[in-house]
Amino acid sequence: MRGSVFVALDVESAQEALSLVAALGDECMAYKVGLQTLVEAGPDIVRQLIARRKKVFLDLKSHEIPSSVAGAVRAAGKLGASMVTVHASGGSAVLKSAVETSLPFPGLQVLALTVITSLGDADLPEIGLKPDVKEQVLRLAKLAVSCGCHGVVASPHEAAMLAGELPRGTRIVVPGIQLNTPTGGDQARFASPEYAKAAGATDIVVGRAVAKAVNPQSAYRMVASAFER
């Protein structure tokens, strides 16, 4: 399985997003478009990226009733996205609906989001769960795979566990990647690209470490080199 280093376009306008894309040039061919950019710039930002032959990970984090999630997945497929996220905690009906809806779009993979990286063990009881992130991640990941999802999204700290438990060929997409940074900002579970690779990540997502760098292209090269070596 060929993995990718996705750069997160968490920005306030299409102009800002495309400026970063231009700065990275042909070095980076894969981008994550999240909720902020999608709301600020609209779906045309996805079309513009695809017109530039970029791979787009559309991070919708859909957590709705099955018919609404199916509509979002269908829209992602029509835009030409390569990956789209759905919350695994939506349950099997939601996950199966997402996967079934993706079938007419052979280039689209459905990823199940397990536990967002801003949550740690101590945060889970607040939402009615046992204080054990790894247990929750594994439970949701197994559910997602049983429903036909192509992969899961989890932090670097669960990647090794998932690589050992999930079927071969399952994508393990890891956000929260930092580069020479002592803090993950609002992310409680983060790591370096080397750590993610060694743990079993198939793909990684890097945001501020590249987007806010003095030289984004140089920062991207460092991340890509560390992950691909």
Side-chain angles (χ1 to χ4, degrees), residues 31-95:
Y31 289 90
K32 180 186 83 79
V33 174
L35 295 177
Q36 178 186 5
T37 301
L38 192 64
V39 173
E40 291 277 8
D44 192 55
I45 187 63
V46 177
R47 298 186 186 99
Q48 291 191 59
L49 290 169
I50 291 170
R52 289 165 169 77
R53 300 184 179 179
K54 307 298 185 182
K55 183 177 182 179
V56 176
F57 168 16
L58 193 52
D59 194 17
L60 297 182
K61 297 183 175 73
S62 299
H63 195 186
E64 253 285 6
I65 61 174
S67 60
S68 294
V69 170
V73 170
R74 186 177 302 110
K78 288 164 67 177
L79 282 172
S82 297
M83 298 179 181
V84 64
T85 48
V86 176
H87 266 284
S89 56
S92 60
V94 166
L95 295 170

Side-chain angles (χ1 to χ4, degrees), residues 79-158:
L79 282 172
S82 297
M83 298 179 181
V84 64
T85 48
V86 176
H87 266 284
S89 56
S92 60
V94 166
L95 295 170
K96 289 176 181 178
S97 179
V99 171
E100 182 178 351
T101 304
S102 74
L103 295 179
F105 307 98
L108 179 64
Q109 295 190 328
V110 175
L111 305 178
L113 177 63
T114 55
V115 177
I116 58 176
T117 55
S118 61
L119 294 178
D121 288 343
D123 301 304
L124 296 189
E126 187 177 56
I127 53 175
L129 300 172
K130 289 173 58 178
D132 190 329
V133 167
K134 286 191 173 182
E135 180 181 314
Q136 178 72 354
V137 167
L138 183 58
R139 184 176 68 81
L140 291 174
K142 286 183 172 180
L143 173 66
V145 169
S146 74
C147 292
C149 290
H150 303 88
V152 298
V153 180
S155 91
H157 303 291
E158 293 88 53

